[in-house]
Amino acid sequence: MKANTICKYSKCNLGKDGGRKHYYSCGFCVASENWRSMACCKEHYQLYMEEVRHARQSGQETDLLPDRTDLTKEEVRALQQKPLDQVKQETEQELSEYALEDGNLDLIDTVEKINKELEGADTYDHTI
């Protein structure tokens, strides 16, 4: 798996280049609007939501769609419109190589495992 999401928190500096972190989030994260689809960590998700609140109070428009490097905004919207059970099934199939011997797959644990693998990778593609 490759990093496919960029942290939405404007002051994120956890990326390998000191900028916004690139990390992996699954299709189910996007469809279920999980915090992971928006930010690299729960703290940054909370800080991003504060930015959104402040922007709205100032009358500014806010973009609440994930910053995905593998999907356009239209594709993200389409994914969010799909039935959640369908997206979950598609995501489980996509991540089947991470299933346990009994065939079970915990999506939250799998996404965390993928991100730990990415953080430990010797190479990092900043263009994705």
Side-chain angles (χ1 to χ4, degrees):
M1 291 291 142
K2 294 181 179 181
N4 61 3
T5 309
I6 303 169
C7 185
K8 293 277 289 191
Y9 176 51
S10 67
K11 294 180 180 77
C12 177
N13 61 358
L14 299 178
K16 295 197 183 225
D17 62 357
R20 291 170 42 211
K21 186 173 183 174
H22 292 234
Y23 63 95
Y24 176 80
S25 68
C26 68
F28 187 71
C29 294
V30 172
S32 63
E33 298 182 19
N34 181 284
W35 68 265
R36 174 60 82 180
S37 69
M38 302 295 275
C40 63
C41 62
K42 286 182 181 181
E43 180 184 6
H44 282 191
Y45 175 75
Q46 292 169 344
L47 291 167
Y48 172 67
M49 294 312 294
E50 280 296 313
E51 288 181 340
V52 168
R53 278 190 278 283
H54 289 295
R56 286 181 174 172
Q57 288 173 350
S58 301
Q60 299 173 9
E61 287 189 32
T62 54
D63 174 15
L64 292 176
L65 293 175
D67 283 346
R68 292 284 296 240
T69 58
D70 61 340
L71 300 173
T72 65
K73 295 292 185 182
E74 291 78 24
E75 290 170 324
V76 169
R77 283 187 199 95
L79 184 58
Q80 290 176 333
Q81 298 301 312
K82 278 186 174 183
L84 203 51
D85 288 342
Q86 178 185 348
V87 177
K88 184 176 183 186
Q89 186 177 35
E90 290 169 356
T91 302
E92 288 172 343
Q93 186 175 7
E94 179 182 331
L95 299 176
S96 63
E97 69 187 76
Y98 292 91
L100 301 174
E101 286 183 22
D102 63 5
N104 287 325
L105 179 73
D106 182 304
L107 289 177
I108 294 171
D109 288 346
T110 301
V111 169
E112 291 303 317
K113 180 179 181 177
I114 291 168
N115 280 300
K116 285 181 182 169
E117 289 174 0
L118 290 172
E119 287 177 17
D122 292 333
T123 59
Y124 185 75
D125 185 353
H126 293 281
T127 64
I128 54 176

